[in-house]
């Protein structure tokens, strides 16, 4: 079955430090991969997505992610954390193992940015 | 303004009392979906719809019903709510049904079942 694993439910970084949020997926078909961000008391919004074009994907707010098929990973990075990056981040994949366009989300990583 | 709206935003109810959470989008999107968000479990898909009158189960459909009679609306129905359905619910929509489209999420509905 399709699955998404986000290592680290909570990550803390200092302001200005590198942000690295990990996402590994399992898939029997070529995946589409997404990172969504959720600010407190809000819905989710798209940060970036991989749709089989370039493997290095740039998103909003300075975030980027690299699709590595050999490692089945899609880690999210940002060179320099800002206080406004504090939020919960979700990795998601589709389609599922049967090719149906269900979405599988990871359990989320809450990012804390320390002053 | 392009958006996904959900109503109500907050709801407290009692076990067994039928309720409906409405979802509407004004972007002419084909794909609509319902998720529940629980601490430590992330988002889990309840039901999704590829088009009018086409719905299918997600990963956690038990205890829920949906309908898609119009393209813009996708209500979530809890026929007999139970306390384990206490959760934060999100509706989402996307333009196409090929999987690669961005999903746009509503603001969420926080449900407490006593």
């Amino acid at each position: 079955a399709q699955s998404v694993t986000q290592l680290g439910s909570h990550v803390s970084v200092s302001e200005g430090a590198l942000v690295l949020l990990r996402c590994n997926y399992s898939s029997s078909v070529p995946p589409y991969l997404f990172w969504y961000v959720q600010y407190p008391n809000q819905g989710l919004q798209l940060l970036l997505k991989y749709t089989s074009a370039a493997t290095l994907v740039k998103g909003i707010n300075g975030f980027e992610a690299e699709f590595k098929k050999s490692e089945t990973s899609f880690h999210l990075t940002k060179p320099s954390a800002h206080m406004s990056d504090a939020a919960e981040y979700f990795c998601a994949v589709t389609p599922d193992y049967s090719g149906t366009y269900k979405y599988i989300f990871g359990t989320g990583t809450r990012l804390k940015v320390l002053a | 303004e392009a958006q996904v709206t959900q109503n109500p935003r907050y709801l407290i109810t009692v076990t067994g009392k039928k309720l409906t959470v409405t979802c509407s989008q004004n972007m002419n999107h084909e794909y609509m979906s319902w998720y529940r968000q629980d601490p430590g479990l992330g988002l889990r898909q309840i039901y999704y719809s590829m088009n009018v009158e086409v719905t299918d189960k997600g990963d956690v459909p038990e205890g829920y019903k949906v309908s898609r009679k119009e393209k813009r609306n996708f209500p979530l129905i809890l026929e007999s709510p139970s306390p384990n359905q206490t959760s934060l619910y999100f509706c989402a929509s996307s333009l196409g049904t090929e999987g690669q489209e961005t999903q746009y999420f509503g603001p969420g509905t926080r449900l407490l079942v006593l």
Side-chain angles (χ1 to χ4, degrees), chain A residues 32 34 36 38 41-46 49 51 88 90 94 100-108, chain B residues 31 35 37 40-43 45 48 50 57-59 90 97-103 105-107:
Chain A
Y32 298 128
F34 305 80
Y36 285 88
Q38 183 181 32
N41 299 314
Q42 294 186 27
L44 283 72
Q45 62 185 80
L46 183 74
K49 61 182 178 181
T51 59
E88 189 156 22
F90 293 94
T94 196
T100 305
Y101 287 113
K102 290 162 59 174
Y103 287 84
I104 308 298
F105 279 77
T107 54
Chain B
Y31 187 99
Y35 297 89
Q37 182 179 11
L41 297 178
L43 273 79
Q45 195 168 28
Y48 64 97
M50 304 280 274
K57 296 177 181 178
D59 283 336
F90 288 101
T97 58
E98 297 300 314
Q100 61 186 298
E101 293 83 7
T102 300
Q103 287 191 86
F105 285 79

Side-chain angles (χ1 to χ4, degrees), chain A residues 41-72:
Chain A
N41 299 314
Q42 294 186 27
L44 283 72
Q45 62 185 80
L46 183 74
L47 268 181
L48 49 79
K49 61 182 178 181
Y50 167 75
T51 59
S52 73
T55 56
L56 181 62
V57 181
K58 294 187 184 300
I60 61 171
N61 301 336
F63 284 93
E64 63 181 40
E66 186 171 9
F67 172 66
K68 292 187 177 180
K69 185 178 179 180
S70 60
E71 298 178 8
T72 61

